[in-house]
Amino acid sequence: MTDPKILAARFPGDFLFGVATASFQIEGATKEDGRKPSIWDAFSNMPGRVHNRDNGDIACDHYHRLEDDLDLIKSLGVQAYRFSIAWPRIIPEGTGAVNEKGLDFYDRLVDGLKRRDIKAFATLYHWDLPLALMGDGGWTARRTAYAYQRYAKTVMARLGDRLDAVATFNEPWCSVWLSHLYGIHAPGERSMDAALHALHVTNLAHGLGVAAIREECPNLPVGIVINPMHIYAGSDSVDDQAAAERAFDFHNGVFFGPVFKGEYPENFLSALGGRMPEIEDGDMATISQPLDWWGVNYYTPMRVGHDPAEGAEFPATVSAAPVSDVKTDIGWEVFPQALGDLIRTVNARYALPDCYITENGAAYNMAVENGAVDDQPRLDYIAEHLSVTADLIAEGYPMKGYFAWSLMDNFEWAEGYKMRFGIVHVDYATQVRTIKKSGHWYRQLAAEFPKGNHKAG
Ligand code: IFM
């Protein structure tokens, strides 16, 4: 299963292997060259929000180590790099003046990738909203969607000619529910009403962003990156099955429905629609413009049961026990089969375009010992999920590539630097990078695809 040659032989020659990161998690240099604070700068500096009160001030110092990190990516032999652009570097106040120095940084990044013959997959929003926009209500304010559109247009005008693909958003589930309902991510809101506003404004921003991208770069493949939950009912009972269906609508349907069908799920609307912001004429058409691809970020399944509590709010579910006690260091159940079940389920429900696995990986916190990091469980995790991906391809699903999360250990949001997802280890005191066992293995796998001419075996 983990022999790179045997695994590689199960993929078509044009399948893309890549690595992924996000701006706030690796860049550091938060106060340099005109960048202004994002909501994550504020949130991580507040007591009690992020483990150890870690912040992104230095992170992996990628901003200053760009060329070395691009060499590192090249040395892994991958064909593509997925990164995100920091809105607070480009339009530091969210609206108003454009910061040329911010654009210059991403110019260097994209040119550096081109020079190394690595495809550039950019994400426009991976959670670092300019803090100034909170003055209007951040993602709960419709105005933010228009500010995002202008930001998207600005980035595309400068970089679009050299990108290979662009995503409007990364994991809107996190920037909507996790950030506005569950309070775990910035801005740490815990209100259903705020979350419902953030939901529609985010979906609208996605649609406005697609229009801006198409206007500037009509030939650039545009997509969105979603982290759909694969939801298993805790039991066969009618109640639990219905709970799983509600959970699907709440966690997935509110993004897939608008984007791929132009509508919110009916059950969701009848339960919570009255608390949503006004859906203006034309909004749903804006949101549901055709996409060229979508990205799936998958780590672990969700298991739910019916919440019997009186007055329980939609989706009225409780967590059900995991079926496997194999867990990563962050406590997430390892269950590769759910990736297959998820792709089959969403394709059965929606007409979806080509799909990239834009993130998949595992938190294991092994240290460097004698110059090496033996992270065999991560290697196994990636191999098992790739094996499921190969099965999906054999079944005819249009899976076009896989990006390991992550290129290197980085700022893991509310977990700070405690949780390590990299296939490259980062010593935060010295910034020394050490390729882990999984990274060496990933390089062997990627090497089987020289310029995409691998023959399926
Ligand atoms: O680190 C995150 C990433 O920013 C978004 N997807 C999940 C990863 C692991 O939690």
Side-chain angles (χ1 to χ4, degrees):
M1 156 94 80
T2 58
D3 181 326
K5 268 200 183 341
I6 296 176
L7 187 55
R10 299 178 58 203
F11 289 87
D14 59 354
F15 191 83
L16 217 56
F17 279 90
V19 287
T21 64
S23 49
F24 192 77
Q25 294 180 270
I26 63 165
E27 285 178 2
T30 51
K31 298 178 183 72
E32 274 175 58
D33 289 341
R35 184 191 182 277
K36 292 249 169 104
S38 73
I39 54 175
W40 269 96
D41 294 273
F43 190 73
S44 54
N45 285 316
M46 285 163 70
R49 300 301 205 163
V50 171
H51 169 77
N52 198 34
R53 216 159 155 186
D54 290 342
N55 61 38
D57 288 2
I58 299 174
C60 304
D61 199 30
H62 171 72
Y63 193 81
H64 297 121
R65 294 165 195 264
L66 178 64
E67 290 296 325
D68 287 350
D69 284 342
L70 293 179
D71 286 344
L72 175 67
I73 298 169
K74 184 70 190 167
S75 80
L76 291 171
V78 294
Q79 295 100 23
Y81 177 50
R82 174 175 177 248
F83 59 96
S84 80
I85 294 168
W87 186 349
R89 289 198 194 282
I90 309 298
I91 306 179
E93 307 270 3
T95 58
V98 172
N99 177 35
E100 292 301 323
K101 285 191 171 165
L103 286 164
D104 292 346
F105 172 70
Y106 296 104
D107 246 346
R108 293 199 295 279
L109 196 167
V110 173
D111 287 345
L113 290 172
K114 295 289 100 172
R115 269 201 309 280
R116 291 168 178 84
D117 200 19
I118 299 168
K119 290 189 193 306
F121 275 57
T123 300
L124 288 172
Y125 186 74
H126 197 126
W127 312 345
D128 35 7
L129 184 74
L131 182 61
L133 290 176
M134 284 310 288
D136 284 332
W139 283 115
T140 67
R142 193 172 168 99
R143 205 169 154 229
T144 298
Y146 294 99
Y148 171 87
Q149 183 180 34
R150 174 169 173 257
Y151 157 65
K153 202 167 159 53
T154 307
V155 172
M156 285 305 117
R158 180 74 172 268
L159 303 175
D161 59 332
R162 283 152 295 144
L163 296 179
D164 294 280
V166 65
T168 53
F169 278 80
N170 178 72
E171 300 185 1
W173 183 92
C174 292
S175 54
V176 172
W177 300 138
L178 198 60
S179 304
H180 293 85
L181 179 61
Y182 305 133
I184 310 287
H185 277 190
E189 185 57 83
R190 289 201 162 95
S191 145
M192 179 62 91
D193 296 278
L196 291 168
H197 281 66
L199 170 66
H200 187 63
V201 172
T202 298
N203 281 334
L204 178 64
H206 157 78
L208 293 170
V210 172
I213 295 162
R214 297 251 189 251
E215 214 177 293
E216 284 296 329
C217 309
N219 300 319
L220 181 63
V222 184
I224 183 170
V225 171
I226 304 180
N227 59 325
M229 307 292 148
H230 188 70
I231 298 161
Y232 294 107
S235 80
D236 288 341
S237 76
V238 174
D239 279 354
D240 283 352
Q241 298 288 329
E245 198 49 42
R246 292 195 301 276
F248 185 94
D249 284 344
F250 187 78
H251 297 289
N252 304 329
V254 296
F255 304 108
F256 281 89
V259 170
F260 295 110
K261 267 186 166 169
E263 62 193 31
Y264 285 99
E266 243 174 68
N267 283 343
F268 165 81
L269 274 187
S270 28
L272 293 170
R275 291 160 70 182
M276 289 184 73
E278 187 189 346
I279 298 175
E280 296 186 11
D281 282 354
D283 281 4
M284 299 315 290
T286 300
I287 297 169
S288 58
Q289 294 160 84
L291 296 179
D292 302 298
W293 62 278
W294 75 286
V296 55
N297 291 357
Y298 170 80
Y299 292 89
T300 192
M302 178 183 264
R303 299 180 188 277
V304 301
H306 171 65
D307 182 355
E310 194 159 331
E313 193 162 56
F314 190 88
T317 55
V318 288
S319 297
V323 291
S324 155
D325 48 13
V326 182
K327 292 194 179 138
T328 64
D329 286 350
I330 204 170
W332 297 353
E333 178 189 352
V334 178
F335 199 66
Q337 175 196 322
L339 171 60
D341 292 342
L342 170 63
I343 295 298
R344 292 180 198 104
T345 304
V346 291
N347 275 283
R349 292 182 186 225
Y350 306 97
L352 299 175
D354 284 352
C355 179
Y356 291 86
I357 297 181
T358 32
E359 283 181 30
N360 177 241
Y364 288 108
N365 300 326
M366 292 82 178
V368 181
E369 278 174 43
N370 303 319
V373 181
D374 183 352
D375 62 339
Q376 184 69 38
R378 175 179 289 105
L379 188 164
D380 292 339
Y381 179 102
I382 294 177
E384 284 163 15
H385 287 79
L386 277 169
S387 175
V388 169
T389 309
D391 292 343
L392 289 166
I393 294 171
E395 288 168 37
Y397 292 99
M399 312 303 293
K400 297 296 177 191
Y402 178 97
F403 291 79
W405 183 270
S406 176
L407 163 66
M408 57 186 160
D409 297 336
N410 57 50
F411 177 79
E412 178 50 28
W413 308 111
E415 302 288 340
Y417 295 100
K418 187 172 65 167
M419 291 298 158
R420 294 175 177 270
F421 276 87
I423 60 172
V424 173
H425 180 276
V426 176
D427 178 331
Y428 295 112
T430 61
Q431 293 296 342
V432 168
R433 277 87 162 122
T434 306
I435 300 178
K436 301 179 189 179
K437 187 174 180 183
S438 60
H440 289 296
W441 174 86
Y442 200 61
R443 170 164 50 198
Q444 287 175 280
L445 186 71
E448 297 293 324
F449 294 81
K451 300 224 180 317
N453 60 4
H454 175 77
K455 297 269 183 303

